[in-house]
């Protein structure tokens, strides 16, 4: 397993270097095809570590300042990958989800690896690109990824956090699909915001809930009771950052209810 992980990281480092330098499109394509081929081979040793390769090329960033310039792929390279690689990842992920119980693929499977890789790529794209040019891909990956919030597997924590990043982006921009799929969005984040063992995931759930409250509270009133119960639990969270955000979210919720009555 460690050899396969190391191989994935090496391939990603080489492919990322080619993409950052520019002018090596053909060579970079060969590296990407080699990674994608692992998703098509049955029980390939490299399959569970394909997401690691994408995270090496596009390091997850959960800070407002973004990733380090030295490791971040240029916007042009990211957009190129969204056109050439993202469709292949979604083909594998959708095929696997359609045959998996409740649409949730097991850890280490090609389907989950493809979903994790697609989410990492979408999270690395500029917000305007992911929310506009890749809106349908973002919608499917977010709704499918939210089904994994119940998991506490160490390899699923980056997936959960990045899925919530995508949801927060969409909610802040008032993207139409968030309201269209409100039940599929609200229920998992309300369940996780007070109970998920990872504080960063709880924060992400609250950020998404706050953004949705500010944009679409009128459509969320049917979830009033579970939302308020979850927020009351969150304001007593062990982590100060979570408590502060929960209070802000609860204030936004009550202010919105007052505005609705007026």
């Amino acid at each position: 397993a460690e050899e396969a992980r190391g191989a994935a990281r090496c391939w990603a480092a080489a492919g990322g270097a080619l993409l950052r330098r520019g002018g090596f499109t053909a060579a970079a394509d060969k590296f990407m095809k080699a990674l994608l081929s692992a998703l098509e081979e049955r029980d390939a040793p490299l399959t569970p570590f394909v997401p690691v390769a994408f995270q090496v090329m596009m390091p997850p960033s959960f800070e407002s300042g973004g990733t380090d310039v030295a490791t971040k792929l240029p916007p042009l390279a990211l957009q190129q990958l969204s056109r050439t690689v993202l469709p292949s990842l979604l083909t594998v992920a959708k095929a696997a989800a359609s045959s998996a119980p409740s649409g949730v693929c097991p850890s280490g499977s090609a389907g989950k690896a493809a979903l994790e890789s697609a989410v990492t790529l979408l999270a690395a794209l500029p917000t305007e690109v992911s929310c506009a040019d890749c809106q349908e891909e973002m919608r499917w990956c977010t709704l499918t990824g939210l089904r994994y919030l119940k998991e506490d597997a160490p390899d699923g924590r980056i997936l959960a956090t990045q899925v919530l990043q995508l949801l927060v982006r969409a909610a802040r921009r008032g993207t139409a699909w968030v309201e269209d799929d409100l039940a599929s969005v609200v229920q998992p984040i309300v369940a996780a915001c007070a109970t998920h063992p990872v504080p960063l995931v709880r924060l992400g759930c609250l950020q998404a809930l706050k953004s949705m409250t500010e944009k679409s509270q009128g459509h969320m009133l049917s979830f009033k009771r579970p939302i308020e119960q979850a927020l009351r639990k969150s304001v007593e969270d062990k982590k100060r950052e979570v408590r502060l955000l929960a209070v802000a979210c609860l204030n936004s919720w009550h202010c919105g209810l007052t505005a609705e009555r007026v």
Side-chain angles (χ1 to χ4, degrees):
E2 289 303 316
E3 290 181 0
R5 180 189 292 273
R9 295 180 67 89
C10 289
W11 276 90
L18 292 171
L19 288 167
R20 281 192 294 274
R21 292 190 66 180
F24 296 92
T25 304
D29 283 346
K30 290 182 179 179
F31 279 95
M32 299 310 302
K33 287 178 180 178
L35 283 174
L36 294 176
S37 66
L39 298 175
E40 300 169 359
E41 298 177 17
R42 187 177 180 85
D43 299 324
L46 190 63
T47 298
F49 304 109
V50 172
V52 175
F54 277 83
Q55 291 158 16
V56 169
M57 287 188 289
M58 296 158 263
S61 175
F62 307 121
E63 300 291 339
S64 59
T67 54
D68 184 79
V69 175
T71 60
K72 188 175 181 180
L73 291 180
L76 188 61
L78 290 170
Q79 291 188 45
Q80 176 187 337
L81 292 176
S82 72
R83 293 191 298 268
T84 59
V85 175
L86 187 58
S88 299
L89 293 172
L90 286 176
T91 297
V92 175
K94 287 182 177 181
S98 65
S99 59
S102 303
V104 176
C105 300
S107 294
S109 66
K112 186 175 181 184
L115 174 63
E116 289 180 275
S117 302
V119 167
T120 293
L121 175 50
L122 285 167
L125 289 170
T127 299
E128 60 274 12
V129 175
S130 59
C131 289
D133 298 346
C134 302
Q135 183 174 155
E136 186 53 39
E137 294 87 345
M138 185 177 180
R139 173 186 173 275
W140 188 87
C141 286
T142 302
L143 294 178
T144 304
L146 286 173
R147 298 172 186 169
Y148 290 85
L149 282 183
K150 295 179 181 178
E151 292 189 343
D152 185 30
D155 63 347
R157 296 180 179 184
I158 292 179
L159 171 64
T161 309
Q162 289 193 309
V163 164
L164 290 167
Q165 279 187 318
L166 296 180
L167 177 57
V168 169
R169 286 185 188 180
R172 285 177 176 172
R173 291 176 69 91
T175 307
W177 65 259
V178 177
E179 286 188 3
D180 294 341
D181 297 288
L182 207 56
S184 299
V185 171
V186 172
Q187 290 174 357
I189 65 173
V190 165
C193 70
T195 60
H196 200 280
V198 180
L200 195 57
V201 173
R202 300 199 297 275
L203 279 170
C205 290
L206 290 169
Q207 286 178 339
L209 194 57
K210 185 173 184 293
S211 297
M212 292 164 60
T213 297
E214 293 169 351
K215 295 285 186 180
S216 313
Q217 185 169 19
H219 299 275
M220 298 169 63
L221 293 179
S222 57
F223 305 101
K224 180 175 182 290
R225 184 175 179 181
I227 287 174
E228 292 183 349
Q229 287 177 340
L231 290 178
R232 281 195 291 269
K233 291 180 181 177
S234 295
V235 297
E236 298 177 356
D237 197 277
K238 295 179 180 179
K239 292 290 183 179
R240 180 175 180 272
E241 295 84 355
V242 177
R243 293 197 303 272
L244 291 175
L245 186 54
V247 169
C249 190
L250 193 58
N251 288 340
S252 294
W253 176 259
H254 286 309
C255 288
L257 290 179
T258 302
E260 286 286 332
R261 296 191 189 98
V262 174

